[in-house]
C-alpha cells in the first residue's frame, strides 16, 4: 500500500498510526529502536527543499533498522532532463522497499506510485497534500491536550498554497475537530469561505500558523515590513483571543516576525513547534512500518 493522501487511509489505519507513534515517541526519548524493518532500504527523493521531513524520514528508517538512501536531485540525472517516469523506472529497478517523494507538482507521487512496485509515501506534493505532516500534527495535539475530538483548530495564513492545511483539513475533522481556515484574501483558495484571522482564532484550542510561501506566489504581496504580522500574523494580542490554554503550532520553516511573533514560537508553555518535529520521527516510523511491513 502507498501513503499518498489522507483519503487513502482508513479510520483504522489512522488510529493505528497515531497509537503506534505515541509508543515510538515515548521509546525514542529513551532512544529505543526497533528492528522491525531490519535490512530494508528506503529511498528518499526530494525535488523540493526540506529540513524536517527529509531528516525525520531518514531518522525513522534508521530507528526501525532500515537504511535510508537520499538522492540529491539537483546532482542527479534530473538535471540532465530525465523525466519523472524514467527516474521512477530506474529507481524501481534497484528494488528499494519504500520510496519517499516530495515534488513541486501536484500528483507527482501518484505518477511514481503507478510505476514503483514498492510502497510510495508522499512527503509533500505542490499545493496538494502533506499527509505525514497532518498525522504528526494530530499526534502532537493528542499528546499535549489528550484528545482531538471537540477541539476548535484555527489554521491561519497562506491557505492557498498550503499542502499542510489541505491534509489537516481532511484529517482533523475525521478525528472530531472543528477546523477553521483563515488568511489574507489573496492567500485563500477561491472555494473556501473567507473568515478573518480574528474570527478563526476566537476561542480556538489550537492555533496553527502557516508560512507565507513566497516561492509559490505569482505576484508579490507588496507588504511593508511588519505589516503582515500586524494584520494577519500571530501576535500576543491575537493569541489572547484564543481559549486560555490554547497551544500554538507551525509546520516550519517559520518566518519569524511575519506569520508568527518569535517570542510566541519560543514559549514552551504555548508552542508545540519542537514537539511537532520530535513527533514527526515517531509518526514516520509508524507510517514506514505500516506500508513496508503491512501493519503496525
Ligand atoms: N514544510 C512544510 C511543507 O513543505 C510547510 C512549508 O514549507 O511552509 O509543506
Amino acid at each position: 500500500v502507498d501513503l499518498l493522501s489522507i483519503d487513502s487511509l482508513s479510520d483504522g489505519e489512522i488510529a493505528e498510526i497515531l497509537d503506534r507513534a505515541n509508543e515510538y515517541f515515548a521509546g525514542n526519548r529513551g532512544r529505543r529502536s526497533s528492528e522491525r524493518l531490519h535490512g530494508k532500504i528506503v529511498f528518499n527523493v526530494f525535488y523540493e527543499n526540506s529540513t524536517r521531513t527529509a531528516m525525520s524520514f531518514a531518522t525513522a528508517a534508521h530507528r526501525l533498522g532500515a537504511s535510508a538512501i537520499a538522492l540529491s536531485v539537483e546532482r542527479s540525472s534530473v538535471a540532465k532532463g530525465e523525466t519523472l517516469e524514467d527516474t521512477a523506472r530506474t529507481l524501481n529497478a534497484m528494488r528499494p522497499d519504500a520510496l519517499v517523494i516530495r515534488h513541486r507538482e501536484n500528483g507527482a507521487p501518484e505518477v511514481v506510485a503507478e510505476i514503483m512496485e514498492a510502497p510510495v509515501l508522499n512527503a509533500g506534493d505542490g499545493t496538494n497534500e502533506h499527509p505525514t505532516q497532518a498525522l504528526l500534527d494530530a499526534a502532537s495535539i493528542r499528546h499535549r491536550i489528550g484528545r482531538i475530538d471537540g477541539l476548535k483548530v484555527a489554521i491561519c495564513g497562506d491557505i492557498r498554497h498550503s499542502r499542510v492545511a489541505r491534509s489537516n483539513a481532511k484529517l482533523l475533522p475525521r478525528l472530531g475537530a472543528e477546523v477553521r481556515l483563515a488568511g489574507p484574501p489573496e492567500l485563500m483558495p477561491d472555494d473556501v469561505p473567507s473568515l478573518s484571522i480574528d474570527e478563526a482564532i476566537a476561542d480556538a484550542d489550537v492555533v496553527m500558523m502557516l508560512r507565507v510561501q513566497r516561492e509559490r506566489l505569482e505576484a508579490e504581496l507588496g507588504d511593508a515590513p511588519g505589516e503582515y504580522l500586524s494584520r494577519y500574523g500571530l501576535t500576543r494580542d491575537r493569541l489572547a483571543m484564543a481559549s486560555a490554554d490554547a497551544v500554538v503550532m507551525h509546520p516550519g520553516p517559520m518566518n519569524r516576525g511575519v506569520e508568527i511573533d518569535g517570542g510566541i514560537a519560543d514559549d514552551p508553555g504555548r508552542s508545540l513547534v519542537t514537539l511537532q518535529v520530535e513527533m514527526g520521527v515517531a509518526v514516520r516510523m509508524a507510517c514506514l512500518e505500516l506500508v513496508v511491513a503491512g501493519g503496525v
Side-chain angles (χ1 to χ4, degrees):
V1 291
D2 302 306
L3 205 172
L4 300 177
S5 154
I6 290 298
D7 303 323
S8 70
L9 293 168
S10 67
D11 290 345
E13 286 169 331
I14 291 169
E16 276 176 39
I17 292 170
L18 296 180
D19 288 347
R20 188 60 153 190
N22 216 20
E23 288 168 28
Y24 280 134
F25 180 84
N28 281 345
R29 299 215 130 170
R31 293 291 174 275
R32 235 182 315 136
S33 298
S34 135
E35 285 299 311
R36 189 84 201 278
L37 298 189
H38 178 79
K40 305 282 186 193
I41 291 181
V42 177
F43 280 180
N44 271 327
V45 184
F46 282 64
Y47 287 79
E48 275 192 340
N49 293 355
S50 173
T51 299
R52 280 150 287 270
T53 308
M55 292 301 285
S56 65
F57 261 116
T59 304
H62 284 283
R63 289 243 162 92
L64 291 167
S67 300
I69 303 175
L71 177 68
S72 43
V73 170
E74 64 291 349
R75 297 224 224 128
S76 72
S77 290
V78 170
K80 301 178 186 170
E82 187 165 60
T83 65
L84 180 64
E85 287 85 348
D86 280 340
T87 301
R89 281 182 204 108
T90 302
L91 296 174
N92 185 52
M94 296 176 202
R95 309 270 161 225
D97 298 289
L99 182 141
V100 178
I101 179 169
R102 166 169 292 186
H103 201 282
R104 61 192 165 277
E105 302 282 345
N106 295 11
E110 274 91 344
V111 171
V112 170
E114 285 285 310
I115 294 166
M116 296 295 298
E117 284 153 75
V120 173
L121 298 99
N122 180 3
D125 62 325
T127 58
N128 180 40
E129 276 221 44
H130 194 351
T132 60
Q133 176 73 43
L135 289 161
L136 76 87
D137 289 335
S140 301
I141 294 170
R142 205 173 71 168
H143 180 80
R144 175 66 172 254
I145 302 181
R147 68 189 163 97
I148 295 172
D149 191 32
L151 296 182
K152 301 184 194 81
V153 182
I155 305 181
C156 306
D158 186 354
I159 306 288
R160 180 186 285 269
H161 300 110
S162 181
R163 51 198 179 205
V164 176
R166 209 163 310 266
S167 288
N168 267 309
K170 289 180 176 181
L171 178 64
L172 296 176
R174 282 177 68 180
L175 299 170
E178 173 197 330
V179 170
R180 305 164 175 176
L181 303 175
E186 59 271 51
L187 297 181
M188 289 300 289
D190 302 327
D191 55 342
V192 174
S194 201
L195 212 60
S196 76
I197 303 276
D198 293 2
E199 285 167 329
I201 290 181
D203 295 327
D205 303 291
V206 177
V207 181
M208 185 185 297
M209 300 309 295
L210 301 170
R211 183 175 67 90
V212 182
Q213 303 201 17
R214 297 199 196 256
E215 77 276 23
R216 295 190 214 274
L217 284 177
E218 279 144 36
E220 297 281 319
L221 274 187
D223 48 330
E227 186 184 341
Y228 190 97
L229 182 66
S230 64
R231 289 183 68 181
Y232 307 112
L234 189 61
T235 57
R236 288 274 174 203
D237 287 346
R238 277 206 181 94
L239 184 54
M241 303 181 338
S243 94
D245 44 10
V247 295
V248 174
M249 304 177 77
H250 193 302
M254 292 187 282
N255 291 312
R256 287 169 181 266
V258 181
E259 68 268 1
I260 189 166
D261 169 273
I264 297 175
D266 296 335
D267 178 351
R270 291 290 200 166
S271 171
L272 304 194
V273 170
T274 310
L275 172 67
Q276 288 172 271
V277 176
E278 191 172 354
M279 193 58 90
V281 175
V283 162
R284 289 173 179 127
M285 286 174 79
C287 290
L288 283 171
E289 196 180 333
L290 179 73
V291 301
V292 178
V296 300

